[in-house]
């Protein structure tokens, strides 16, 4: 087997994780995922200021502490921290190694940056345009002896699939093995979300500070998900199920190298903090690659009014009437009001007696969305509702981004492995492809027989994990027994989801059934507007959408409670 660890689930994750993973136990490869959709926007703005930037600089500081340890232990490092400038980060790693007196071979993968060709490819004029490359460039770099491999935008799982493919000598059409590695990579790429972090049933465990995950991958693509002995957190079927459901769509999980069938994943506890992941089937990848596009969408600003005590709705109405009348210097193109009823009747503290009224605006003109707006809000202080105050002083507008996805034929995107000696290998597009189609809904089990029910929160019997893909959100819901599955799959329909989450009532919602995981996954189109950077809603990445759903009440059979 090959032991592949993860030390970063996002740009800003635990700084000490690289050193911890190298110190706390054996590894063959250490990976790090630094690139979320929002990160590419941040790096794009960095590159505007300095073309030599555009990569995750935190990775260099982590490496300064740990490069010698990795070299001594023979652990190779694969990371997508190269962002928009993998060649620049690779050179910076070489300079760092030279300064530290450590002899290492550094390689990088490039070709994902389509910005220079955006107009030619019909992608408009974005700030960033990056195709999601696969694992074969990474594999070429490792086969050539690289100790450190830096990539730009590859799929999150590719930093795991590449080392496994190089280690076992997999071919491009070893789809089942590749699919198994994709599933393992999907589980560990978000770091401690696989080891008890962000876990619905966290109260059943003593988490401490969770250790980062490891995938022990075997030649057939099966794996065991685990963590270093003695580290915090937990690895069980539940934590792995939760992460498998994170930010997915249907049963076919499409990638640049293989389409993994998540409806074939089999999970089994394999001892304390060990979960065996097997049975994953793979199919040829789709003919087109996903391209993430970020553009500047204008300017945004917000003011939050604190409404305390009685007449909350009337106070909110007065603020809205007064502020919109006061915007004589120009009305922002988009104004959104949200009243959060955080207040409690007969509250023992002023804070718990208060509600929050948010007003968020967007406009192409920074002046209109800036002090012209926030200043007008503050000018109401002595003329508005009783107890007027806000949570922050008036501020200028800030630029916001808009994320969209496009697709470009795989043959149109270069995929180049730049080896430690500087030679370049072109990675060809897949010879076989297959357009992704939906899987027919499987046969459902018989519903539970009628019996007494109790009105209670869904979360007493079901876990959930939710996340974002551009402007869409997903929420996967799973249960832990066959009885509960027979109830959940017949109860939690699209119609019931809309009832439980009224915010989704007018939005397209799709449900996907995954019996092997005792799970249903919902994709809600447009819930997040133009993506996280546009901050269209409270919780702009839908991270807590699943927990909101779990808190909602419905009739649950008493036999399950």
């Amino acid at each position: 087997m090959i032991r592949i660890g993860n030390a970063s689930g996002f740009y800003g994750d635990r700084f000490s994780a690289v050193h911890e993973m190298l110190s706390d136990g054996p590894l063959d490869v250490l990976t790090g995922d630094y690139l979320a959709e929002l990160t590419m926007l941040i790096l794009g703005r960095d590159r505007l200021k300095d073309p030599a930037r555009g990569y995750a600089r935190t990775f260099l500081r982590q490496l300064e502490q740990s490069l010698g340890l990795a070299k001594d232990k023979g652990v190779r490092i694969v990371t997508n921290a190269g962002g928009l400038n993998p060649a620049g980060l690779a050179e910076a790693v070489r300079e760092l190694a030279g300064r530290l007196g450590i002899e290492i071979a550094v390689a990088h993968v490039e070709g994902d940056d389509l910005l220079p060709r955006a107009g030619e490819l019909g992608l408009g004029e974005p700030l960033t345009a990056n195709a999601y490359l696969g694992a074969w460039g990474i594999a070429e770099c490792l086969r050539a002896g690289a100790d450190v491999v830096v990539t730009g935008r590859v799929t999150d799982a590719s930093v795991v699939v590449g080392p496994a493919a190089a280690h076992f000598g997999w071919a491009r059409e070893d789809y089942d093995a590749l699919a198994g590695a994709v599933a393992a990579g999907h589980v560990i790429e978000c770091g401690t979300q696989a080891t008890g972090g962000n876990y619905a049933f966290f109260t059943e465990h003593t988490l401490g500070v969770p250790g980062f995950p490891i995938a022990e991958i075997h030649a057939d693509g099966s794996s065991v998900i685990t963590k270093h002995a003695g580290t915090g957190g937990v690895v069980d079927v539940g934590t792995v199920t939760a992460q498998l459901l994170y930010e997915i769509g249907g049963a076919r999980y499409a990638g640049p190298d293989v389409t993994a069938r998540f409806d074939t994943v089999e999970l089994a506890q394999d001892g304390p903090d060990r979960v065996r992941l097997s049975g994953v089937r793979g199919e040829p990848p789709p003919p087109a690659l996903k391209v993430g596009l970020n553009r500047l969408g204008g300017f945004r600003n917000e003011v939050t009014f604190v409404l305390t005590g009685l007449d909350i709705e009337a106070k909110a109405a007065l603020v809205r009437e007064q502020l919109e009348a006061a915007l004589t210097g120009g009305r922002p193109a988009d104004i959104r009001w949200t009243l959060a009823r955080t207040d409690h009747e007969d509250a023992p503290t002023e804070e718990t007696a208060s509600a929050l009224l948010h007003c968020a605006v967007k406009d192409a003109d920074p002046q209109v969305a800036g002090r012209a707006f926030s200043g007008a809000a503050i000018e109401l202080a002595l003329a508005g509702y009783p107890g007027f105050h806000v949570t922050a002083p008036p501020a200028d507008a800030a630029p916001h981004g808009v994320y969209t996805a496009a697709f470009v034929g795989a043959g149109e995107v270069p995929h180049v492995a730049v080896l430690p000696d500087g030679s370049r290998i072109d990675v060809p597009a897949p010879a076989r492809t297959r357009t992704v189609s939906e899987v027919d809904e499987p046969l459902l089990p018989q519903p539970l027989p009628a019996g007494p029910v109790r009105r209670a929160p869904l979360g007493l019997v079901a876990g959930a994990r939710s996340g974002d893909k551009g402007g869409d959100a997903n929420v996967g819901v799973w249960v832990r027994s066959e009885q509960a599955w027979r109830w959940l799959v017949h109860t939690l329909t699209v119609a019931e989801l809309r009832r439980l989450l009224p915010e989704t009532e007018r939005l397209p919602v799709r449900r996907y059934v995954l019996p092997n995981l005792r799970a249903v996954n919902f994709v809600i189109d447009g819930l997040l507007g133009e993506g996280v950077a546009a901050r269209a809603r409270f919780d702009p990445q839908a991270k807590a959408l699943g927990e909101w759903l779990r808190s909602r009440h419905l009739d649950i059979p008493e036999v399950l409670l």
Side-chain angles (χ1 to χ4, degrees):
M1 68 177 179
I2 180 172
R3 286 174 60 89
I4 303 175
N6 168 280
S8 176
F10 68 101
Y11 193 11
D13 209 342
R14 191 190 312 165
F15 184 85
S16 60
V18 172
H19 192 271
E20 291 169 8
M21 288 298 286
L22 291 168
S23 302
D24 289 348
L27 289 175
D28 297 302
V29 178
L30 182 61
T31 66
D33 176 17
Y34 292 78
L35 302 183
E37 293 165 358
L38 179 61
T39 313
M40 300 302 280
L41 175 67
I42 294 169
L43 296 179
R45 292 173 62 184
D46 280 352
R47 188 170 62 176
L48 283 178
K49 299 172 187 174
D50 182 355
R53 287 163 62 174
Y55 55 76
R57 289 172 288 169
T58 299
F59 172 71
L60 270 182
R61 293 194 291 118
Q62 292 173 305
L63 215 56
E64 189 166 8
Q65 293 184 352
S66 304
L67 184 59
L69 183 59
K71 178 69 174 177
D72 290 344
K73 291 198 166 192
V75 179
R76 302 164 100 176
I77 296 174
V78 180
T79 178
N80 62 12
L84 302 177
N85 188 6
L89 179 55
E91 184 57 34
V93 171
R94 292 186 192 97
E95 292 172 1
L96 173 65
R99 193 169 77 248
L100 297 175
I102 301 170
E103 187 175 334
I104 60 165
V106 183
H108 74 274
V109 177
E110 62 186 29
D112 62 292
D113 191 352
L114 302 182
L115 191 61
R117 300 170 54 214
E120 168 196 339
L121 295 170
L123 302 176
E125 299 181 358
L127 175 66
T128 68
N130 294 82
Y132 285 74
L133 300 181
W136 294 107
I138 295 169
E140 291 287 358
C141 293
L142 293 170
R143 288 176 185 138
D147 300 301
V148 178
V149 181
V150 172
T151 77
R153 179 73 279 182
V154 296
T155 64
D156 297 341
S158 289
V159 296
V160 172
V161 179
H167 181 78
F168 294 115
W170 291 338
R172 296 288 293 262
E173 295 187 3
D174 286 335
Y175 295 128
D176 290 350
L178 292 167
V182 164
H186 182 70
V187 170
I188 74 168
E189 54 95 357
C190 274
T192 51
Q193 282 198 160
T195 58
N198 195 19
Y199 182 51
F201 300 113
F202 74 99
T203 58
E204 299 177 3
H205 305 281
T206 302
L207 291 182
V209 178
F212 277 70
I214 298 166
E216 299 175 351
I217 301 180
H218 296 262
D220 63 354
S222 65
S223 62
V224 171
I225 307 300
T226 185
K227 62 187 184 70
H228 284 318
T231 58
V234 62
V235 179
D236 66 14
V237 169
T239 67
V240 174
T241 298
Q243 186 55 25
L244 281 169
L245 294 171
Y246 183 61
E247 296 184 346
I248 67 168
R252 285 190 165 106
Y253 186 74
D257 302 317
V258 64
T259 293
R261 290 289 298 264
F262 273 27
D263 57 344
T264 63
V265 175
E266 298 174 11
L267 300 178
Q269 200 72 36
D270 194 46
D273 293 320
R274 294 178 63 83
V275 172
R276 182 166 297 280
L277 192 161
S278 61
V280 191
R281 302 298 301 275
E283 299 170 345
L289 297 183
K290 180 180 176 181
V291 180
L293 304 172
N294 280 290
R295 60 181 174 84
L296 295 178
F299 297 84
R300 71 179 307 278
N301 204 347
E302 63 181 53
V303 173
T304 298
F305 302 88
V306 182
L307 315 177
T308 303
L310 305 178
D311 306 318
I312 296 295
E313 297 287 347
K315 288 171 180 174
L318 178 59
V319 174
R320 183 167 183 165
E321 175 189 345
Q322 289 182 322
L323 182 55
E324 297 208 16
L327 295 174
T328 55
R331 178 185 171 86
D334 183 57
I335 302 179
R336 291 173 182 254
W337 293 90
T338 307
L339 177 60
R341 292 301 302 263
T342 52
D343 54 304
H344 299 265
E345 187 177 352
D346 193 21
T349 67
E350 182 178 335
E351 186 172 6
T352 56
S354 300
L356 299 175
L357 177 64
H358 306 283
C359 182
V361 302
K362 295 178 187 174
D363 199 90
D365 186 339
Q367 301 302 319
V368 171
R371 291 301 179 106
F373 159 71
S374 59
I378 298 305
E379 289 173 0
L380 299 176
L382 304 181
Y385 63 89
F388 180 105
H389 65 286
V390 295
T391 58
D396 294 328
H400 74 85
V402 174
Y403 175 87
T404 55
F407 292 87
V408 171
E412 295 289 321
V413 179
H415 186 172
V416 182
V418 183
L419 306 184
D421 63 2
S423 60
R424 302 168 67 87
I425 294 180
D426 291 322
V427 176
R432 290 180 59 198
T433 61
R434 183 185 300 173
T435 301
V436 176
S437 59
E438 301 288 3
V439 173
D440 292 337
E441 183 166 295
L443 292 175
L444 303 184
Q446 288 294 316
L448 284 183
V453 298
R454 188 192 320 163
R455 199 78 173 168
L458 173 63
L460 293 185
V461 296
R465 179 158 293 171
S466 55
D468 65 314
K469 282 295 178 187
D472 303 337
N474 97 289
V475 54
V477 183
W478 82 96
V479 289
R480 300 184 287 182
S481 71
E482 282 302 315
Q483 269 195 317
W485 172 238
R486 291 170 61 189
W487 170 77
L488 179 79
V489 73
H490 290 283
T491 301
L492 196 56
T493 60
V494 169
E496 181 66 357
L497 182 89
R498 293 187 195 279
R499 186 190 71 80
L500 295 171
L501 304 182
E503 192 178 351
T504 69
E505 185 177 2
R506 300 182 187 278
L507 297 174
V509 178
R510 287 163 282 148
R511 185 180 92 146
Y512 301 99
V513 179
L514 297 166
N516 55 316
L517 301 177
R518 298 193 189 109
V520 288
N521 184 51
F522 295 90
V523 177
I524 305 161
D525 294 342
L527 181 70
L528 308 178
E530 294 175 313
V532 55
R535 299 186 66 84
R537 73 184 290 272
F538 178 75
D539 184 19
Q541 290 181 286
K543 297 302 184 188
L545 184 67
E547 287 302 291
W548 176 30
L549 177 62
R550 292 182 70 238
S551 74
R552 298 286 285 155
H553 288 224
L554 70 171
D555 291 336
I556 301 175
E558 287 197 356
V559 67
L560 302 181
L561 298 171

